[in-house]
Amino acid sequence: EERLRAAAQALGISLEALPPRKAAKEKVRLAAVMKTLTSVSNGWLADRLQMGVPGSVTQYVRRFRAAGENEKRAFKTVLSKVQTCPLGRVHG
């Protein structure tokens, strides 16, 4: 949960105001960060982010990566911030 909160902060996403759509870009970006930096289960992400069944998380993240979103500078910057900052203390 702490790592998810750090990712949300780095992405400028409010976990309390996530869009209802299961494949909302905010949810997919969060899931992609979490799958890249942690060993979190798809089940936990599906439940926590309300993304449907666990297999959906896999598909959404796969599409995100296939579109090259994980190679963009902005995404890599977020990964760096979340990975290097103490949990709960992501800076600028």
Side-chain angles (χ1 to χ4, degrees), residues 6 10 14 16 19-21 24-25 28 35 37-38 42-43 46 54 59 61 64 73 77-78 84 88 92:
S14 170
E16 292 73 30
R21 194 167 147 255
K25 67 178 183 175
V28 175
K35 294 304 286 183
L37 297 179
T38 72
N42 288 340
Q59 292 302 315
V61 173
F64 179 87
R73 180 179 293 163
T77 299
V78 167
T84 59

Side-chain angles (χ1 to χ4, degrees), residues 4 42 75:
L4 178 65
N42 288 340
F75 186 75

Side-chain angles (χ1 to χ4, degrees), residues 18-30 51 60:
L18 289 172
R21 194 167 147 255
K22 293 175 185 176
K25 67 178 183 175
E26 296 89 342
K27 293 178 179 183
V28 175
R29 289 170 64 204
L30 284 168
M51 295 179 80
Y60 300 144

Side-chain angles (χ1 to χ4, degrees), residues 3 8 18 23 54 57 80 85-86:
R3 185 68 66 184
L18 289 172
V57 174
S80 178
C85 290

Side-chain angles (χ1 to χ4, degrees), residues 3 5-6 10 13 15 18 34 37-38 44 47 63 75 79 84-85 87:
R3 185 68 66 184
R5 291 194 175 280
I13 296 171
L15 290 173
L18 289 172
M34 295 297 289
L37 297 179
T38 72
W44 187 86
D47 288 342
R63 289 180 196 142
F75 186 75
L79 290 178
T84 59
C85 290
L87 291 179

Side-chain angles (χ1 to χ4, degrees), residues 30-32 34-36 38-62 65:
L30 284 168
M34 295 297 289
K35 294 304 286 183
T36 301
T38 72
S39 60
V40 66
S41 72
N42 288 340
W44 187 86
L45 283 172
D47 288 342
R48 178 63 179 87
L49 299 177
Q50 298 178 349
M51 295 179 80
V53 298
S56 295
V57 174
T58 301
Q59 292 302 315
Y60 300 144
V61 173
R62 182 177 292 143
R65 290 176 177 159

